[in-house]
Amino acid sequence: MARRSPEGEPVKEIYICFTLVIVLAAGFLTDAIGIHALFGAFVVGIVVPKEGPFAGALIEKVEDFISGLFLPLYFVSSGLKTNVATIQGAKSWGLLVLVIFNACLGKIGGTYLTARLARVPAREAITLGFLMNTKGLVELIVLNIRKDRKVLNDESFAILVLMALFTTFITTPIVMAIYRPSQSTTLYKHRTVEQPTSKTEGELRLVACFHSYRNIPTILNLVELSRGTKHHRLTLYTMQLVELSERSSAILMVHRARHNGLPFLNRNNLSGQFEVAFEAYQQLAAVNVRPMTAISNLDTMHHDIIVSALQKRASLIILPFHKVLQLDGSLQSIGYAYHQVNKRVLCEAPCSVAMLIDRGLGGSAQVSSREVACSVMMLFLGGPDDREALAYASSMAEHPGIHVKVTRFLQTLQNDNPDENEADDRAIEVFQDKVDSVFDGSVQFEENMAHTREEVAAFIKEMSRHNLFIVGRSPPTVRLLERTDCPELGPVGSFLASPEFSKIASAVVIQCYKPKTDPSKVLQDEGPLEEIALARSHN
């Protein structure tokens, strides 16, 4: 019946009716041979395929009727069978306390110890214990079967039902009291690349988002340039952004993504390319790669990115530009909705954000560490975004195969804040110290005296021979273009994304973290589970 129900066509009503008849028949047969009727229906449920339109149509037909009528009636019948009056005397009440204590100790204690062995924080481990301690429909079914088979008397049945109710009712208030996501984010301090790392915070965490396989070589090449040599650990969380189109396909995508911990793909098409690329990079480079998949509507996809960055304590989010490279060297938009996703992430990001304008950085394949040869130009005009971009370029300068050149524009500065100017000077001094410590000429610094917008634009065009440009999103300067369809990139970034700049040089536009987003509000505002499905890796 499943094979005769092709995708896109309605499932025949006779198939649904026949399936329900099979369920009833299986229950009757198992009951006739002395086994509870539940197990016959359970076996039929195992046999029914879980993928395709047939399973979706079957669920749609019976789910509302069962959950809205049969399930409440079952709970009512179980309650009518429970006679609390049979619990009398100190012995009976002491037995109830003992049963509750043993039930909680086994579930909570076992889960807590296992979670701690997996290096889960104590507060989250005890929360998992209480969540695992809840009792539900399956426990109630087992108790009813035992009572019907005269395995449990009225007193034992009442004690076990009260135990199930007690352990379930205490879960919500206790979990809300001991676990608050906003508290877990207070320790999340390393939200930028510019902040110095200590021995305890020596790990650089990146969340790199991509839409398709064509983004992967550029992202891996950019990460390879970013890791330098002084970061003790670098963890890369790759997140494939998948648009949620319909419920049945979403369930299928989440199931597959959770099954293998890798981004969802059609197993017959491109999954091999993704898997090989991630595994090969993890083995060849000193980088810990954790694949993830975000499956949601485009209107809420930014929540997946933001929440993942919070939970992974990322220092930088790498976003793909909403325009992709064409054969003629131009950039073509993949859709207005993807453009809006990037804008929302920039507004609510819990860490720094790097917008990647890809014009084939490193070619169509990921380049190994020993073969990296790249020329990077960083344009410094001042402000916190430019200082973050300078810190990012400085980390690239640690890579032996990269030539980094920083150009500071003096006459374009419009910042009247003396504190900002002082911070800019300190950042430049730190970079100059790095220039003085490198004797092979791979790190350079210069100052440019461009006066007008035209002079700045002309200088940038002359430098278009570099492979990669790094700029801040909001430097204190005038716009280099009179009109742009990408104002979120800022005055310089929008020029780098325009056809007036170059057809070969890629660009990274960086926005420094601005502490204005309430992480707890973001975590609470993830949206309905049917709309946002986030399948993460094993950790």
Side-chain angles (χ1 to χ4, degrees):
M1 289 188 291
R3 286 195 296 266
R4 291 174 179 270
S5 302
E7 191 77 34
E9 296 184 7
V11 179
K12 296 180 180 180
E13 295 290 340
I14 189 64
Y15 292 168
I16 305 299
C17 296
F18 190 65
T19 303
L20 297 179
V21 170
I22 294 176
V23 173
L24 296 176
F28 175 78
L29 290 176
T30 52
D31 185 69
I33 63 177
I35 304 176
H36 197 275
L38 171 70
F39 294 100
F42 179 75
V43 171
V44 176
I46 295 177
V47 175
V48 173
K50 304 303 182 296
E51 302 176 359
F54 176 73
L58 184 62
I59 294 175
E60 184 180 357
K61 293 290 185 181
V62 303
E63 185 177 27
D64 294 337
F65 181 69
I66 292 177
S67 61
L69 180 62
F70 283 170
L71 194 59
L73 289 177
Y74 187 78
F75 283 121
V76 170
S77 65
S78 300
L80 294 175
K81 294 178 184 179
T82 306
N83 187 3
V84 183
T86 57
I87 306 177
Q88 296 179 353
K91 181 179 178 180
S92 295
W93 287 105
L95 184 61
L96 174 61
V97 174
L98 180 63
V99 169
I100 293 176
F101 176 77
N102 284 333
C104 294
L105 180 63
K107 279 290 187 69
I108 299 175
T111 305
Y112 178 80
L113 292 177
T114 306
R116 292 297 290 165
L117 289 175
R119 298 182 180 180
V120 176
R123 185 184 293 270
E124 297 181 9
I126 194 68
T127 302
L128 288 175
F130 276 99
L131 291 175
M132 290 294 295
N133 190 45
T134 57
K135 305 296 186 292
L137 178 63
V138 175
E139 287 80 4
L140 198 58
I141 291 175
V142 173
L143 293 179
N144 277 276
I145 293 176
R146 291 177 179 178
K147 181 174 172 56
D148 295 338
R149 301 295 182 183
K150 306 300 181 181
V151 177
L152 299 175
N153 55 27
D154 291 341
E155 180 185 7
S156 300
F157 180 77
I159 289 175
L160 292 174
V161 170
L162 289 179
M163 178 271 297
L165 292 176
F166 177 80
T167 54
T168 301
F169 286 157
I170 66 173
T171 300
T172 299
I174 291 180
V175 169
M176 292 180 64
I178 66 177
Y179 179 71
R180 297 178 181 177
S182 59
Q183 292 181 353
S184 64
T185 60
T186 56
L187 299 177
Y188 175 25
K189 298 179 180 179
H190 187 52
R191 299 170 182 256
T192 63
V193 179
E194 184 182 9
Q195 293 177 353
T197 58
S198 62
K199 292 182 180 180
T200 59
E201 293 183 338
E203 183 179 18
L204 179 62
R205 293 169 172 246
L206 306 178
V207 174
C209 305
F210 62 94
H211 299 299
S212 64
Y213 72 93
R214 64 187 303 174
N215 301 130
I216 292 182
T218 298
I219 288 177
L220 293 182
N221 288 328
L222 181 62
V223 172
E224 176 61 31
L225 302 181
S226 307
R227 71 186 184 95
T229 57
K230 294 185 179 180
H231 288 298
H232 300 289
R233 299 184 305 275
L234 191 148
T235 300
L236 172 64
Y237 297 95
T238 60
M239 176 180 288
Q240 184 191 7
L241 306 179
V242 179
E243 181 182 2
L244 178 63
S245 56
E246 57 185 76
R247 183 178 177 184
S248 59
S249 62
I251 295 175
L252 176 61
M253 287 188 291
V254 174
H255 171 73
R256 290 185 178 177
R258 287 178 176 168
H259 176 71
N260 57 17
L262 293 174
F264 165 77
L265 284 165
N266 189 330
R267 301 298 298 179
N268 297 325
N269 292 331
L270 301 173
S271 61
Q273 298 182 23
F274 278 75
E275 187 173 351
V276 169
F278 292 143
E279 291 183 356
Y281 182 66
Q282 182 171 235
Q283 294 175 3
L284 295 177
V287 176
N288 191 13
V289 181
R290 299 293 185 184
M292 302 182 294
T293 300
I295 306 170
S296 60
N297 291 326
L298 293 178
D299 293 337
T300 56
M301 187 173 286
H302 64 286
H303 283 288
D304 288 357
I305 302 172
I306 293 168
V307 172
S308 295
L310 277 170
Q311 293 177 341
K312 305 305 181 184
R313 293 176 170 82
S315 300
L316 185 68
I317 299 174
I318 301 176
L319 287 177
F321 192 44
H322 71 280
K323 295 183 179 181
V324 297
L325 185 67
Q326 303 299 307
L327 294 177
D328 59 355
S330 62
L331 295 175
Q332 183 176 355
S333 176
I334 60 176
Y336 175 77
Y338 290 98
H339 191 186
Q340 293 300 113
V341 170
N342 292 344
K343 287 184 176 180
R344 296 187 185 105
V345 174
L346 288 172
C347 292
E348 305 178 19
C351 59
S352 296
V353 180
M355 188 77 69
L356 174 59
I357 304 171
D358 181 19
R359 291 189 175 94
L361 178 64
S364 59
Q366 190 262 320
V367 182
S368 64
S369 178
R370 297 179 180 179
E371 298 177 355
V372 170
C374 183
S375 177
V376 178
M377 166 65 75
M378 192 272 147
L379 306 175
F380 188 89
L381 294 94
D385 290 347
D386 276 30
R387 292 195 296 272
E388 180 73 355
L390 179 62
Y392 189 57
S394 180
S395 66
M396 288 185 173
E398 300 170 2
H399 199 292
I402 300 178
H403 178 86
V404 176
K405 183 177 182 180
V406 175
T407 298
R408 185 182 189 184
F409 293 88
L410 298 178
Q411 298 300 321
T412 58
L413 297 177
Q414 304 289 330
N415 201 336
D416 296 330
N417 189 340
D419 295 334
E420 288 292 328
N421 293 331
E422 184 178 353
D424 293 341
D425 293 336
R426 287 197 303 267
I428 291 296
E429 290 177 0
V430 172
F431 184 79
Q432 286 179 327
D433 292 338
K434 177 169 291 189
V435 174
D436 296 337
S437 63
V438 177
F439 301 101
D440 58 359
S442 61
V443 184
Q444 298 179 355
F445 173 79
E446 69 175 11
E447 294 181 343
N448 188 281
M449 302 295 293
H451 295 275
T452 63
R453 176 176 61 186
E454 290 75 12
E455 292 178 352
V456 175
F459 174 82
I460 297 176
K461 287 183 179 180
E462 292 178 0
M463 298 294 106
S464 60
R465 64 180 182 276
H466 293 275
N467 304 109
L468 180 67
F469 276 72
I470 301 177
V471 297
R473 179 183 175 230
S474 303
T477 186
V478 295
R479 293 186 301 175
L480 300 184
L481 294 175
E482 295 183 357
R483 294 183 180 180
T484 177
D485 57 349
C486 305
E488 75 279 2
L489 296 180
V492 181
S494 57
F495 177 76
L496 298 180
S498 66
E500 300 180 17
F501 167 59
S502 173
K503 293 185 178 181
I504 58 173
S506 299
V508 174
V509 182
I510 294 183
Q511 172 185 275
C512 184
Y513 165 66
K514 298 176 177 58
K516 62 181 180 180
T517 303
D518 184 8
S520 62
K521 181 179 179 181
V522 174
L523 287 173
Q524 295 171 3
D525 193 27
E526 291 188 25
L529 291 179
E530 293 181 359
E531 295 183 357
I532 302 177
L534 185 61
R536 298 183 174 86
S537 57
H538 295 293
N539 69 334

